[in-house]
Amino acid sequence: MTSSRATLIEVARHAGVSLASTSRALHGTGASPAMVERVRAAAEELGYSPDVTGRSLRMKKTFQVAFAVADIGNPVYVEMLTAIHEVLSPHGYRVVVMTTGDTAGAATDLVRSLGSGFVDALVISPLRADDALADEIRRAPVPVVVVGRSLDDGAIDSVSTDSADGIGQAVDHLVRSGRRRIGFLNGPLDTTPGRARQRGFDAAARANGFPAERTTVEVADDFTVAAGLRAARALLAPAADGSRLDAVVAANDLLAIGAVRAAREAGLTVPGDVAVTGMDDTELGRVYEPSLTSVSLGSSERGAAAARAVLARLEDGEAPAQHVVIGPRLLVRESTAAEGSSR
Amino acid sequence: MTSSRATLIEVARHAGVSLASTSRALHGTGASPAMVERVRAAAEELGYSPDVTGRSLRMKKTFQVAFAVADIGNPVYVEMLTAIHEVLSPHGYRVVVMTTGDTAGAATDLVRSLGSGFVDALVISPLRADDALADEIRRAPVPVVVVGRSLDDGAIDSVSTDSADGIGQAVDHLVRSGRRRIGFLNGPLDTTPGRARQRGFDAAARANGFPAERTTVEVADDFTVAAGLRAARALLAPAADGSRLDAVVAANDLLAIGAVRAAREAGLTVPGDVAVTGMDDTELGRVYEPSLTSVSLGSSERGAAAARAVLARLEDGEAPAQHVVIGPRLLVRESTAAEGSSR
DNA sequence: CGACCCGCTGGAAACGTTTCCGGATGGCGT
DNA sequence: ACGCCATCCGGAAACGTTTCCAGCGGGTCG
């Protein structure tokens, strides 16, 4: 249980050499082969393993990187976390997970807490980003990489994706498939993703020449299946003239599933009567039936890119900020088939 | 970007008092109100925030807890992580995520690496546990809580669940619903969960008086939908006499979805022709159609319990080991309805 | 043969914090 | 009025590591 761990000093004493030589020997820098062997043996015998807190204090480096998101349960963030871990771990960095909460203030506090130096860098994906957060990030004592919106600030490393363009791809795909009345099922507009996707849909509607009365928008109060189901009921209700939508673009796979549910409730088939697209390319959407056509925002790629940006920044603190953009990719599956089974 | 952070020494100098008093004032222990105010003002002015590495070195405490699992992507582990984070975070602990890989050796190495003291405790959920791992845990320099199988070792804190009993609950439920020929779709037998669930099924089959020829078992080579689909095809193939199973107990929600897929491929309806149960009560299973009857192993509860065990152990290192058992709970949903829609 | 340089070693400082300990001061009880 | 105790303060040590600096020896080149 509690074995008082051997310290470097004891190893030095045990090997009969100085502390300095012991440290050097164990790092292989500037020590004679004889010395190395001697120290190595002593260390082995005592079961020595270096204490990272002592090392951190001296080197001003913790070999830890924090990953902060609103909620860790979200599959998108899980994918990012996995990717980040995979990139950083081989370089000897540990990953600390943190939650920003869903208020912008909490995220700002978190960035400020970086001052206590428990971590060499931070990857943060803020749900709601404001100027205060950007300010705090700029004056943060360690590198911060933002994944998500680029905060409109050239000086901050960022990895983003063009989700507006992604929504556009979904709309174009539906139009090409012959759908004409396309509704948009969005999440809360006071979130960064919500705003971006709204922008994307509006632009796509304009680009495709949809008159306002040919598009309908409904905003769910959360990015969940339940909220999507509620909002989609309204979206799919017949218009005054009895006509209905023939396609729904959802801002999210979860919302999309809610839309499929609502469609079935209303006696409509998917994709027969209504085509549905999601976003995020989650396992959920892949496995669902019908499998969801979804716009991948490359969560893994973004996570990996963010991790690489961290490494680059730690390598060279003065390099100009980099802004990686991962292009969205539409993955066509059953939920938008032209002639689908009537399941 | 890089503002050289203020140290306690500078705060002391700036306040014109000693280092010791400064430290005490900031901790509110044994300092006069005047002193506290004076130091607080100085700290405020300099934007001081304490350095955790210095503190850790001195206090021999990192305020970090590691959570180690085979792969972070698994929804079950994500739930645990979330729960652990929720319990530990209010107590000032950060959570470090680590991966054990899928070999027992890697897990052992990980536990050994605890010697470098980057963390105050470890919560580990080993996929494959052997004696070497148990040994290493026993001699670990920090508290370790095992979640999963209890390692058959009374001296190690553990949080487990009786997944064998859970399988039993699923079988009983199916029998009560009138199902007679029940197949078992398991995952790899060289994993701890795989073995336990096999044991559970065998016991349940015996208890219900199923002759060996009335039960069929198939082992998928992974706990995934794809592997489940492959294995379930064999499981659902007609027997020599042309008869088929009327129920499948899957060791996992993912495998269960594979089974549903295979059933539909074979032209069978779920739950009409074949009832299917899963295990883990994942979001996936809840949202799937038909929604999956599933045995919840209480991932969140287990995570929370493990975190509480960590706190208790950190509080009192000498207390006897505790073994929390979270009872499995069957959640009945559409996939085992007596008369289902023929979807 | 002397000067210089290079490789190796040991002493000591430094990283930033907490806390032990001794000393000073003030108040209170006797 | 004196002693005692509680309260508060400052000096200094300690946690475990890395690294600067100086010294020492041996080899090489001029």
Side-chain angles (χ1 to χ4, degrees), chain B residues 37 41-42 58 81 127 131 133 152 159 179-180 183 195 204 215 221 234 261 269 271 284 289 295 307 315 317 321 330:
Chain B
E37 178 48 31
R58 172 62 219 238
L81 172 59
L127 247 195
D131 288 345
L133 180 59
D152 296 328
V159 176
R179 309 285 174 168
R180 285 297 168 260
R195 270 197 304 275
T215 65
D221 55 5
R261 288 277 173 89
T269 62
L284 199 58
E289 295 179 56
V295 178
E315 197 76 21
L330 179 76

mmCIF file of all heavy atoms in Angstrom, chain B residues 37 41-42 58 81 127 131 133 152 159 179-180 183 195 204 215 221 234 261 269 271 284 289 295 307 315 317 321 330:
data_model
loop_
_atom_site.group_PDB
_atom_site.id
_atom_site.type_symbol
_atom_site.label_atom_id
_atom_site.label_comp_id
_atom_site.label_asym_id
_atom_site.label_seq_id
_atom_site.Cartn_x
_atom_site.Cartn_y
_atom_site.Cartn_z
ATOM 1 N N GLU B 37 -6.149 41.222 5.346
ATOM 2 C CA GLU B 37 -6.593 42.240 4.409
ATOM 3 C C GLU B 37 -5.413 42.781 3.600
ATOM 4 O O GLU B 37 -5.477 42.913 2.374
ATOM 5 C CB GLU B 37 -7.282 43.378 5.172
ATOM 6 C CG GLU B 37 -7.726 44.507 4.275
ATOM 7 C CD GLU B 37 -8.477 43.997 3.043
ATOM 8 O OE1 GLU B 37 -9.155 42.937 3.143
ATOM 9 O OE2 GLU B 37 -8.361 44.613 1.985
ATOM 10 N N ALA B 41 -4.968 42.253 -0.419
ATOM 11 C CA ALA B 41 -4.889 43.409 -1.326
ATOM 12 C C ALA B 41 -3.669 43.291 -2.235
ATOM 13 O O ALA B 41 -3.758 43.484 -3.450
ATOM 14 C CB ALA B 41 -4.832 44.696 -0.510
ATOM 15 N N ALA B 42 -2.544 42.962 -1.621
ATOM 16 C CA ALA B 42 -1.314 42.824 -2.410
ATOM 17 C C ALA B 42 -1.463 41.734 -3.462
ATOM 18 O O ALA B 42 -1.086 41.904 -4.625
ATOM 19 C CB ALA B 42 -0.139 42.518 -1.480
ATOM 20 N N ARG B 58 5.497 20.397 -1.879
ATOM 21 C CA ARG B 58 5.580 20.569 -0.433
ATOM 22 C C ARG B 58 4.556 19.678 0.297
ATOM 23 O O ARG B 58 4.867 19.025 1.287
ATOM 24 C CB ARG B 58 5.334 22.035 -0.103
ATOM 25 C CG ARG B 58 5.198 22.346 1.365
ATOM 26 C CD ARG B 58 6.481 22.006 2.108
ATOM 27 N NE ARG B 58 6.169 21.429 3.394
ATOM 28 C CZ ARG B 58 6.574 21.923 4.549
ATOM 29 N NH1 ARG B 58 7.382 22.950 4.577
ATOM 30 N NH2 ARG B 58 6.223 21.356 5.652
ATOM 31 N N LEU B 81 -16.857 8.235 -16.356
ATOM 32 C CA LEU B 81 -15.987 9.411 -16.287
ATOM 33 C C LEU B 81 -16.774 10.641 -15.860
ATOM 34 O O LEU B 81 -16.360 11.398 -14.986
ATOM 35 C CB LEU B 81 -15.335 9.643 -17.658
ATOM 36 C CG LEU B 81 -14.546 10.940 -17.812
ATOM 37 C CD1 LEU B 81 -13.419 11.007 -16.801
ATOM 38 C CD2 LEU B 81 -13.998 11.074 -19.224
ATOM 39 N N LEU B 127 -10.029 -4.398 -18.304
ATOM 40 C CA LEU B 127 -10.784 -5.353 -19.110
ATOM 41 C C LEU B 127 -10.373 -6.772 -18.768
ATOM 42 O O LEU B 127 -11.193 -7.655 -18.608
ATOM 43 C CB LEU B 127 -10.524 -5.102 -20.593
ATOM 44 C CG LEU B 127 -11.692 -4.597 -21.423
ATOM 45 C CD1 LEU B 127 -11.407 -4.744 -22.896
ATOM 46 C CD2 LEU B 127 -12.966 -5.330 -21.049
ATOM 47 N N ASP B 131 -3.423 -11.853 -11.806
ATOM 48 C CA ASP B 131 -2.792 -11.758 -10.489
ATOM 49 C C ASP B 131 -1.696 -10.702 -10.459
ATOM 50 O O ASP B 131 -1.513 -10.006 -9.465
ATOM 51 C CB ASP B 131 -2.207 -13.117 -10.087
ATOM 52 C CG ASP B 131 -3.322 -14.098 -9.744
ATOM 53 O OD1 ASP B 131 -4.463 -13.618 -9.556
ATOM 54 O OD2 ASP B 131 -3.060 -15.301 -9.665
ATOM 55 N N LEU B 133 -1.614 -7.951 -11.971
ATOM 56 C CA LEU B 133 -2.249 -6.650 -11.790
ATOM 57 C C LEU B 133 -2.645 -6.451 -10.329
ATOM 58 O O LEU B 133 -2.393 -5.394 -9.736
ATOM 59 C CB LEU B 133 -3.474 -6.540 -12.698
ATOM 60 C CG LEU B 133 -4.240 -5.212 -12.617
ATOM 61 C CD1 LEU B 133 -3.329 -4.056 -12.976
ATOM 62 C CD2 LEU B 133 -5.453 -5.230 -13.531
ATOM 63 N N ASP B 152 -11.326 -10.571 -6.781
ATOM 64 C CA ASP B 152 -11.315 -11.619 -5.763
ATOM 65 C C ASP B 152 -10.290 -11.341 -4.686
ATOM 66 O O ASP B 152 -9.611 -12.229 -4.201
ATOM 67 C CB ASP B 152 -11.013 -12.990 -6.400
ATOM 68 C CG ASP B 152 -12.135 -13.376 -7.365
ATOM 69 O OD1 ASP B 152 -13.286 -12.992 -7.103
ATOM 70 O OD2 ASP B 152 -11.837 -14.044 -8.353
ATOM 71 N N VAL B 159 -15.622 -1.470 -6.698
ATOM 72 C CA VAL B 159 -17.021 -1.209 -6.980
ATOM 73 C C VAL B 159 -17.391 -2.130 -8.122
ATOM 74 O O VAL B 159 -16.811 -2.042 -9.201
ATOM 75 C CB VAL B 159 -17.249 0.244 -7.411
ATOM 76 C CG1 VAL B 159 -18.690 0.455 -7.801
ATOM 77 C CG2 VAL B 159 -16.848 1.192 -6.303
ATOM 78 N N ARG B 179 -41.186 -16.672 -23.943
ATOM 79 C CA ARG B 179 -40.166 -17.120 -24.900
ATOM 80 C C ARG B 179 -39.593 -18.448 -24.432
ATOM 81 O O ARG B 179 -39.403 -18.670 -23.244
ATOM 82 C CB ARG B 179 -39.046 -16.069 -25.013
ATOM 83 C CG ARG B 179 -39.554 -14.663 -25.271
ATOM 84 C CD ARG B 179 -40.016 -14.484 -26.714
ATOM 85 N NE ARG B 179 -40.631 -13.164 -26.882
ATOM 86 C CZ ARG B 179 -40.922 -12.626 -28.066
ATOM 87 N NH1 ARG B 179 -40.673 -13.293 -29.179
ATOM 88 N NH2 ARG B 179 -41.493 -11.437 -28.145
ATOM 89 N N ARG B 180 -39.303 -19.309 -25.360
ATOM 90 C CA ARG B 180 -38.887 -20.652 -25.000
ATOM 91 C C ARG B 180 -37.505 -21.053 -25.499
ATOM 92 O O ARG B 180 -36.806 -21.834 -24.885
ATOM 93 C CB ARG B 180 -39.929 -21.675 -25.508
ATOM 94 C CG ARG B 180 -41.204 -21.694 -24.668
ATOM 95 C CD ARG B 180 -40.883 -22.129 -23.238
ATOM 96 N NE ARG B 180 -42.018 -21.888 -22.340
ATOM 97 C CZ ARG B 180 -42.087 -20.837 -21.533
ATOM 98 N NH1 ARG B 180 -41.124 -19.942 -21.519
ATOM 99 N NH2 ARG B 180 -43.124 -20.683 -20.734
ATOM 100 N N GLY B 183 -31.375 -17.736 -27.229
ATOM 101 C CA GLY B 183 -29.953 -17.811 -27.588
ATOM 102 C C GLY B 183 -29.169 -16.735 -26.854
ATOM 103 O O GLY B 183 -29.732 -15.737 -26.399
ATOM 104 N N ARG B 195 -16.580 -13.374 -19.606
ATOM 105 C CA ARG B 195 -16.646 -14.580 -18.773
ATOM 106 C C ARG B 195 -17.818 -14.516 -17.799
ATOM 107 O O ARG B 195 -18.567 -15.471 -17.643
ATOM 108 C CB ARG B 195 -15.337 -14.768 -17.998
ATOM 109 C CG ARG B 195 -14.298 -15.586 -18.734
ATOM 110 C CD ARG B 195 -13.221 -16.070 -17.778
ATOM 111 N NE ARG B 195 -12.598 -14.956 -17.068
ATOM 112 C CZ ARG B 195 -11.591 -14.243 -17.576
ATOM 113 N NH1 ARG B 195 -11.109 -14.536 -18.759
ATOM 114 N NH2 ARG B 195 -11.079 -13.253 -16.890
ATOM 115 N N ALA B 204 -28.516 -19.256 -15.534
ATOM 116 C CA ALA B 204 -29.926 -18.982 -15.789
ATOM 117 C C ALA B 204 -30.564 -20.104 -16.604
ATOM 118 O O ALA B 204 -31.706 -20.496 -16.368
ATOM 119 C CB ALA B 204 -30.070 -17.645 -16.517
ATOM 120 N N THR B 215 -30.724 -24.333 -25.883
ATOM 121 C CA THR B 215 -30.019 -23.058 -25.837
ATOM 122 C C THR B 215 -28.874 -23.059 -26.830
ATOM 123 O O THR B 215 -28.276 -24.093 -27.099
ATOM 124 C CB THR B 215 -29.422 -22.774 -24.450
ATOM 125 O OG1 THR B 215 -28.415 -23.749 -24.187
ATOM 126 C CG2 THR B 215 -30.469 -22.842 -23.374
ATOM 127 N N ASP B 221 -16.555 -11.615 -31.852
ATOM 128 C CA ASP B 221 -15.139 -11.393 -31.550
ATOM 129 C C ASP B 221 -14.863 -9.970 -31.067
ATOM 130 O O ASP B 221 -13.728 -9.554 -30.942
ATOM 131 C CB ASP B 221 -14.254 -11.754 -32.747
ATOM 132 C CG ASP B 221 -14.687 -11.014 -33.990
ATOM 133 O OD1 ASP B 221 -15.604 -10.172 -33.875
ATOM 134 O OD2 ASP B 221 -14.119 -11.276 -35.058
ATOM 135 N N ALA B 234 -25.318 -16.444 -37.516
ATOM 136 C CA ALA B 234 -25.186 -17.865 -37.192
ATOM 137 C C ALA B 234 -26.201 -18.258 -36.132
ATOM 138 O O ALA B 234 -26.868 -19.302 -36.213
ATOM 139 C CB ALA B 234 -23.765 -18.160 -36.703
ATOM 140 N N ARG B 261 -30.461 -6.370 -36.313
ATOM 141 C CA ARG B 261 -30.135 -6.281 -37.740
ATOM 142 C C ARG B 261 -30.188 -7.657 -38.410
ATOM 143 O O ARG B 261 -30.785 -7.834 -39.468
ATOM 144 C CB ARG B 261 -28.720 -5.725 -37.906
ATOM 145 C CG ARG B 261 -28.578 -4.261 -37.586
ATOM 146 C CD ARG B 261 -28.981 -3.447 -38.809
ATOM 147 N NE ARG B 261 -29.009 -2.037 -38.476
ATOM 148 C CZ ARG B 261 -27.952 -1.229 -38.577
ATOM 149 N NH1 ARG B 261 -26.796 -1.703 -39.005
ATOM 150 N NH2 ARG B 261 -28.062 0.036 -38.248
ATOM 151 N N THR B 269 -39.203 -10.439 -37.522
ATOM 152 C CA THR B 269 -39.554 -9.177 -36.894
ATOM 153 C C THR B 269 -39.122 -9.183 -35.431
ATOM 154 O O THR B 269 -39.039 -10.223 -34.796
ATOM 155 C CB THR B 269 -41.068 -8.923 -36.940
ATOM 156 O OG1 THR B 269 -41.721 -9.965 -36.200
ATOM 157 C CG2 THR B 269 -41.576 -8.921 -38.370
ATOM 158 N N PRO B 271 -40.143 -7.079 -31.909
ATOM 159 C CA PRO B 271 -40.039 -8.285 -31.102
ATOM 160 C C PRO B 271 -40.988 -9.402 -31.498
ATOM 161 O O PRO B 271 -41.038 -10.425 -30.809
ATOM 162 C CB PRO B 271 -40.417 -7.763 -29.717
ATOM 163 C CG PRO B 271 -41.437 -6.714 -30.006
ATOM 164 C CD PRO B 271 -41.042 -6.089 -31.311
ATOM 165 N N LEU B 284 -27.796 4.888 -27.008
ATOM 166 C CA LEU B 284 -28.029 4.220 -28.273
ATOM 167 C C LEU B 284 -29.238 3.301 -28.191
ATOM 168 O O LEU B 284 -30.143 3.358 -29.025
ATOM 169 C CB LEU B 284 -26.787 3.395 -28.609
ATOM 170 C CG LEU B 284 -26.582 2.955 -30.031
ATOM 171 C CD1 LEU B 284 -26.544 4.168 -30.927
ATOM 172 C CD2 LEU B 284 -25.297 2.166 -30.147
ATOM 173 N N GLU B 289 -34.784 2.060 -32.595
ATOM 174 C CA GLU B 289 -36.140 1.552 -32.781
ATOM 175 C C GLU B 289 -36.067 0.139 -33.309
ATOM 176 O O GLU B 289 -35.472 -0.085 -34.346
ATOM 177 C CB GLU B 289 -36.904 2.459 -33.741
ATOM 178 C CG GLU B 289 -37.087 3.840 -33.144
ATOM 179 C CD GLU B 289 -37.818 4.779 -34.085
ATOM 180 O OE1 GLU B 289 -38.937 4.422 -34.490
ATOM 181 O OE2 GLU B 289 -37.266 5.832 -34.409
ATOM 182 N N VAL B 295 -30.327 -4.353 -19.654
ATOM 183 C CA VAL B 295 -29.992 -4.468 -18.244
ATOM 184 C C VAL B 295 -29.007 -3.356 -17.893
ATOM 185 O O VAL B 295 -27.891 -3.321 -18.402
ATOM 186 C CB VAL B 295 -29.350 -5.826 -17.918
ATOM 187 C CG1 VAL B 295 -28.971 -5.887 -16.447
ATOM 188 C CG2 VAL B 295 -30.293 -6.956 -18.278
ATOM 189 N N ALA B 307 -15.723 7.059 -7.107
ATOM 190 C CA ALA B 307 -15.184 8.363 -6.724
ATOM 191 C C ALA B 307 -15.335 8.578 -5.227
ATOM 192 O O ALA B 307 -14.421 9.069 -4.555
ATOM 193 C CB ALA B 307 -15.892 9.466 -7.499
ATOM 194 N N GLU B 315 -9.294 10.158 2.720
ATOM 195 C CA GLU B 315 -9.600 10.670 4.055
ATOM 196 C C GLU B 315 -8.915 9.815 5.120
ATOM 197 O O GLU B 315 -8.268 10.320 6.029
ATOM 198 C CB GLU B 315 -11.122 10.629 4.263
ATOM 199 C CG GLU B 315 -11.626 11.464 5.393
ATOM 200 C CD GLU B 315 -11.623 12.940 5.008
ATOM 201 O OE1 GLU B 315 -11.627 13.244 3.793
ATOM 202 O OE2 GLU B 315 -11.603 13.765 5.918
ATOM 203 N N GLY B 317 -6.592 6.421 5.188
ATOM 204 C CA GLY B 317 -5.871 5.398 4.448
ATOM 205 C C GLY B 317 -5.901 4.023 5.086
ATOM 206 O O GLY B 317 -5.607 3.018 4.454
ATOM 207 N N ALA B 321 -10.918 -2.103 3.490
ATOM 208 C CA ALA B 321 -11.346 -1.939 2.104
ATOM 209 C C ALA B 321 -12.852 -2.088 1.993
ATOM 210 O O ALA B 321 -13.457 -2.899 2.680
ATOM 211 C CB ALA B 321 -10.658 -2.976 1.220
ATOM 212 N N LEU B 330 -33.167 -4.411 -14.699
ATOM 213 C CA LEU B 330 -33.700 -4.656 -16.042
ATOM 214 C C LEU B 330 -34.663 -3.539 -16.440
ATOM 215 O O LEU B 330 -35.570 -3.200 -15.688
ATOM 216 C CB LEU B 330 -34.440 -5.992 -16.077
ATOM 217 C CG LEU B 330 -35.050 -6.341 -17.428
ATOM 218 C CD1 LEU B 330 -33.972 -6.814 -18.391
ATOM 219 C CD2 LEU B 330 -36.138 -7.393 -17.282
#
